[in-house]
Amino acid sequence: MSQAPGTPAPALVAAAEAAHAAYARARATHGRAALAETVAQGADGTPTMRIDRIVEDAVLHALEPHAVNILSEESGWLDRGSEVTLVIDPLDGSANGAAGVPLTAFAGAIAVEGEFTQAYTSWLDTGRTWWAHRDVPTPYRTSGRTELTGAALSMLRPHTAKPGPAAAWWAAASRAARVRILSTSCLEAALVAEGATDAFADACSDTHRLVDLAAAVVMVTRAGGAVLDAFGRPICFDPDLTRRWSGVVAATPQLAWELVDVLSQAARSAQREG
Amino acid sequence: MSQAPGTPAPALVAAAEAAHAAYARARATHGRAALAETVAQGADGTPTMRIDRIVEDAVLHALEPHAVNILSEESGWLDRGSEVTLVIDPLDGSANGAAGVPLTAFAGAIAVEGEFTQAYTSWLDTGRTWWAHRDVPTPYRTSGRTELTGAALSMLRPHTAKPGPAAAWWAAASRAARVRILSTSCLEAALVAEGATDAFADACSDTHRLVDLAAAVVMVTRAGGAVLDAFGRPICFDPDLTRRWSGVVAATPQLAWELVDVLSQAARSAQREG
């Protein structure tokens, strides 16, 4: 894992470049239905689409020369006896990617002895990248917003059939000035880090896995923001990909805590009534 | 308005290229707060941000050599005595553009004696363009989906404080398999035309103006889809930019009509109860 100071780890760059090339090739070679077809069950407990498989295979191949452990969405935990683990979502926004909505990302973070040290996100449809290291100054600054009222908030789609998450989604949407659903958590987190949007949240649906949040933990925290879980669970390295969080990624700790309060209170009230 | 068969009208291309250049210049020159500042009241009845003004000024300048009427979001109706009118949204997704969310579009349509004949949409953040002519075969094909159940649906953000539109939004979101809010109607319509998503709707909030829908009318209809209004009003050329619609842009006429039914019935029920 040798790297020049102030530059991304070679393993992260190699993985992102492999994802970028494989994604373009998959889109050029297969139709929408073929890309969206379920070809396996992922280590995270959700179905693996063909486009996920193609991109992850390319990423794992590119990482063969790098002597690191890997925790990846579809394959799970590959223990190679290193102190260093790459936590990667090879293709975030798989449904976007399969359908042709140009909002997909590779996102990876490095965990050293369980601590996240750096993160690298690549917008696969354009090649634009974001990098941050815990110990290196970053050009990214969040918007600095401290209140949900008036904020621009991204969320996962509402889980309309589940009373708690549905109420949480609506409560947050009712307070924010703008609401977006881009369907790519990692890209939305990068937009929080650079200040283009104020926050991104999973409204208590426990959809987020570690691979959706690890890059945000490094990048958004370094840029002045905070990453919390709506139910107060610590977001820390764990090789068990079936664990879930309801991530709250925000421009400031104040905004993150306000979102946690609004979301969790609305969810609990709805569940008591339900 | 002379043009080679099978190619976009030069006025549309000139306008889109001017928008693309001006948008990049505005983003490079001004900070977020300056770009979002209200500098005037637009002809459509909504505030004009500085970034809108910069892009529209550049577009109008580029159109000076073209002897056509112009109907544009901020300036309104410029009657130059032509039979031909360009209906343009110089910067769709202004809030995205001001903040740095890379989802903004130029969209223009040509109306000849009140009939829309061709449309041109440019994703200003990447330079990708879509063109369609009513009388020319197009490579775009919608997804062909006929039912809302299982569909990928884009919507404007929910208007949570208005009972009718709020109920309409939630009713449609509850039936769709995927929900997105990209906050750029014109780009979302282009994604419907090419089959990347199944439908896009304003859930009875009457936010859409003609400039938000004109390009979709040509492009999505030509690709096999349909563009309707949730309350049954015809979407036709009218130089009065204060008119509003709740546009429903869908992969097929069947899906468009189902959306109209779901949205309008939910809105009416909520208003009766309210």
Side-chain angles (χ1 to χ4, degrees):
Chain A
M1 295 303 295
S2 68
Q3 72 177 100
T7 63
L12 282 176
V13 177
E17 288 177 354
H20 186 67
Y23 173 70
R25 202 172 55 239
R27 296 268 321 139
T29 313
H30 298 284
R32 290 189 174 98
L35 291 173
E37 198 183 327
T38 298
V39 294
Q41 198 68 12
D44 66 340
T46 66
T48 304
M49 292 185 190
R50 177 170 283 113
I51 193 167
D52 288 316
R53 186 72 269 158
I54 292 171
V55 175
E56 177 153 328
D57 282 350
V59 166
L60 294 181
H61 181 71
L63 287 173
E64 278 171 15
H66 299 268
V68 293
N69 309 328
I70 299 168
L71 182 66
S72 186
E73 183 173 333
E74 312 304 340
S75 306
W77 169 240
L78 302 174
D79 187 349
R80 292 151 141 190
S82 174
E83 287 178 347
V84 174
T85 297
L86 250 60
V87 178
I88 50 177
D89 192 345
L91 179 63
D92 182 58
S94 307
N96 285 349
V101 175
L103 295 167
T104 62
F106 164 91
I110 287 183
V112 182
E113 295 178 339
E115 293 279 307
F116 296 117
T117 56
Q118 61 173 299
Y120 193 73
T121 299
S122 169
W123 182 8
L124 297 181
D125 304 271
T126 66
R128 186 170 157 198
T129 61
W130 292 258
W131 174 71
H133 191 294
R134 195 182 53 175
D135 305 322
V136 179
T138 175
Y140 307 129
R141 290 286 173 277
T142 70
S143 69
R145 182 174 287 277
T146 55
E147 291 188 349
L148 181 53
T149 301
L153 173 67
S154 284
M155 287 194 282
L156 300 180
R157 72 174 178 86
H159 287 243
T160 54
K162 297 178 183 170
W169 197 99
W170 197 253
S174 300
R175 284 164 177 79
R178 302 187 185 283
V179 178
R180 296 187 183 93
I181 306 174
L182 307 189
S183 302
T184 160
S185 300
C186 298
L187 204 51
E188 285 166 303
L191 294 175
V192 174
E194 65 170 38
T197 185
D198 299 312
F200 168 64
D202 172 348
C204 300
S205 74
D206 274 6
T207 299
H208 278 150
R209 302 142 306 179
L210 191 63
V211 295
D212 296 310
L213 295 170
V217 167
V218 179
M219 203 173 288
V220 174
T221 306
R222 193 72 189 85
V227 181
L228 300 172
D229 170 74
F231 297 114
R233 296 161 292 199
I235 300 166
C236 50
F237 179 75
D238 185 329
D240 176 7
L241 263 189
T242 63
R243 280 191 65 181
R244 289 291 185 278
W245 289 266
S246 291
V248 172
V249 177
T252 58
Q254 295 97 310
L255 179 56
W257 282 112
E258 184 183 349
L259 267 164
V260 163
D261 286 347
V262 167
L263 293 168
S264 62
Q265 285 175 18
R268 288 196 182 107
S269 294
Q271 272 151 355
R272 270 198 301 272
E273 291 165 14
Chain B
M1 296 303 294
S2 68
Q3 72 177 100
T7 62
L12 281 176
V13 176
E17 287 177 355
H20 186 68
Y23 173 70
R25 202 172 53 238
R27 296 268 319 139
T29 313
H30 298 283
R32 291 189 173 99
L35 291 174
E37 198 183 327
T38 299
V39 294
Q41 197 67 11
D44 66 339
T46 64
T48 303
M49 291 183 190
R50 176 170 284 112
I51 193 169
D52 288 316
R53 186 72 269 159
I54 291 171
V55 175
E56 178 153 327
D57 282 350
V59 167
L60 295 180
H61 181 72
L63 286 173
E64 279 172 12
H66 299 268
V68 293
N69 309 327
I70 298 167
L71 182 65
S72 187
E73 184 172 335
E74 312 304 339
S75 306
W77 169 240
L78 302 173
D79 188 349
R80 293 151 140 190
S82 173
E83 288 178 348
V84 174
T85 297
L86 251 59
V87 178
I88 51 178
D89 192 344
L91 179 63
D92 184 57
S94 309
N96 285 347
V101 176
L103 296 167
T104 62
F106 164 92
I110 287 183
V112 181
E113 295 178 339
E115 293 280 306
F116 295 116
T117 56
Q118 62 174 299
Y120 193 73
T121 299
S122 169
W123 181 8
L124 297 181
D125 304 272
T126 67
R128 184 169 159 201
T129 61
W130 293 258
W131 174 71
H133 191 294
R134 192 182 57 176
D135 306 322
V136 177
T138 176
Y140 306 130
R141 290 285 172 278
T142 70
S143 68
R145 182 174 286 276
T146 55
E147 291 186 350
L148 181 53
T149 301
L153 173 66
S154 284
M155 288 195 279
L156 300 180
R157 71 175 178 85
H159 288 244
T160 54
K162 297 178 183 171
W169 196 98
W170 197 253
S174 300
R175 284 164 177 80
R178 301 187 185 285
V179 178
R180 296 186 182 94
I181 307 175
L182 306 189
S183 302
T184 159
S185 300
C186 297
L187 204 52
E188 286 167 303
L191 294 175
V192 174
E194 65 170 38
T197 185
D198 298 314
F200 167 64
D202 172 348
C204 300
S205 74
D206 275 6
T207 300
H208 278 150
R209 303 142 306 178
L210 190 63
V211 296
D212 294 310
L213 295 170
V217 167
V218 178
M219 203 173 289
V220 174
T221 306
R222 192 73 189 85
V227 181
L228 300 173
D229 170 73
F231 297 114
R233 296 160 293 198
I235 301 167
C236 50
F237 179 76
D238 185 330
D240 175 7
L241 263 189
T242 63
R243 282 190 65 181
R244 289 290 186 278
W245 287 266
S246 291
V248 172
V249 176
T252 58
Q254 295 96 309
L255 179 56
W257 283 111
E258 185 183 349
L259 268 164
V260 164
D261 286 348
V262 167
L263 293 168
S264 61
Q265 285 174 20
R268 288 196 183 106
S269 295
Q271 272 152 354
R272 270 197 302 271
E273 290 164 16

